[in-house]
Amino acid sequence: MRRLTASGFLLLAASWLGAQTPAQPKELVVAVYEAPPWCMKKPDGDWHGATVDLWKAIADRAGLSYRLEEAQSDRILDEIRGGRYATSAGPFASTLERERVMEFTHSYTVTGLAIAVRQTSERDRWLSFLEALTTPTALKVYLGIAVLALVAGLVVWRLERRHNPQFPARPLTGIGSGFWWAGVTSSGVGYGDKVPVTMWGRAAALLWMLISLVMITALIGFVTARLAVTELGNVHSIAGLHRVKVGSVAGSASADFLRRQDIPHRLYTSPEKALVALRARDVGAVVFSDVVLRYYVQRDATHALELVPGVVEAQSYAFPLVDGSPLREPLNAALRNVLATGVWRDITDRFLLPEGDR
């Protein structure tokens, strides 16, 4: 039998020990980004939030080793597909456009897109009222009423001047009296200081009453409609988004939605910056995740923002993966386990419930 040398013995021992020692699991790099209350960074650099805590729970059950790495939200999905990140612990909607190029785990919640707008202040209401009274359309109505009142006054004066001392025969004084009579009649005041007494004068007066009623009603309707729009805001549905500049976040599902709807929009790097633009009136509305917008609106110290009731489009949230990822099945199994227990319910109670309901 060949005798082992010292070096051969050491190699054999190392080989045997290596075979007995299990391979260390590969450390996954998981992307995160600031998107409260889903994903938030503490002052000490640690991350927490609804999706971060959910990820920690399912990674623990799946026995995965990982580290969280902060990244730009609009690049994360491309970098997952490129292999830099295994997945993301930030919120991502599993939209049809995304599922064509990558995979997602089972959904862990269903939420939707919402619209944030500026609240209408008392100052804004008064400015809108003055604006409604001075629009080109309103000015045209004023001019139309004035011209018709002058015509009506002239007609009544011509019919009454020889029979009614209330409408003097002198043109300047008589026409002035007729214009005054037409004005107070159209406004519904009717002082009674000047009244037609002839048959034709009264017939002309009756016709003027009907015409002025239509004109004043049109003016009141126009101003009321403008004030109603102001009270409701320029945006109170999807249709209203076409009338204002809309802000959203680059690379988000909300940006995809606005593009599909052919709604012109301006993209920002974060929802917080989009809301800053909304307060500064750079945009008239912001479309983004309902949960995220609600988080910022509830904490807005200026109380200048509000959410339009309802959601624009329902969306399922899941963890994104590269197409064909071996992580999909173990993550789904761990996710089913977490959702079946009270863990996810506790997480949503901590992060997703309105502050008054916690």
Side-chain angles (χ1 to χ4, degrees), residues 167-358:
F167 297 91
R170 292 180 59 187
L172 187 60
T173 306
I175 294 174
S177 297
F179 186 62
W180 166 256
W181 167 85
V184 297
T185 301
S186 66
S187 65
V189 178
Y191 286 138
D193 57 336
K194 299 183 188 323
V195 180
V197 295
T198 66
M199 181 186 70
W200 291 111
R202 290 180 176 180
L206 181 60
L207 179 61
W208 169 242
M209 291 178 192
L210 295 175
I211 294 174
S212 63
L213 178 63
V214 173
M215 296 291 289
I216 296 298
T217 301
L219 177 62
I220 293 174
F222 172 77
V223 174
T224 302
R226 289 297 299 263
L227 293 178
V229 169
T230 302
E231 187 64 28
L232 292 173
N234 286 326
V235 178
H236 50 89
S237 65
I238 297 177
L241 295 175
H242 291 275
R243 298 194 299 267
V244 299
K245 293 181 181 178
V246 180
S248 191
V249 178
S252 66
S254 55
D256 294 337
F257 167 79
L258 294 172
R259 186 166 52 252
R260 290 197 311 271
Q261 297 294 325
D262 291 326
I263 297 174
H265 53 280
R266 183 178 299 172
L267 296 178
Y268 297 87
T269 57
S270 69
E272 192 170 11
K273 290 183 178 179
L275 292 175
V276 169
L278 178 61
R279 293 189 197 94
R281 301 177 182 271
D282 293 335
V283 294
V286 170
V287 175
F288 197 62
S289 163
D290 172 70
V291 175
V292 176
L293 291 182
R294 193 173 302 278
Y295 177 90
Y296 281 112
V297 168
Q298 289 177 346
R299 290 160 177 77
D300 180 27
T302 64
H303 303 290
L305 305 178
E306 62 182 350
L307 293 183
V308 173
V311 295
V312 174
E313 182 180 67
Q315 294 181 329
S316 297
Y317 276 28
F319 292 100
L321 299 167
V322 68
D323 197 19
S325 173
L327 290 173
R328 190 171 189 272
E329 289 308 317
L331 287 180
N332 280 338
L335 182 58
R336 287 193 296 268
N337 179 274
V338 170
L339 296 179
T341 63
V343 175
W344 177 235
R345 190 178 306 111
D346 293 340
I347 292 174
T348 56
D349 288 347
R350 287 202 309 273
F351 295 107
L352 302 184
L353 282 181
E355 290 186 340
D357 296 337
R358 296 178 187 174

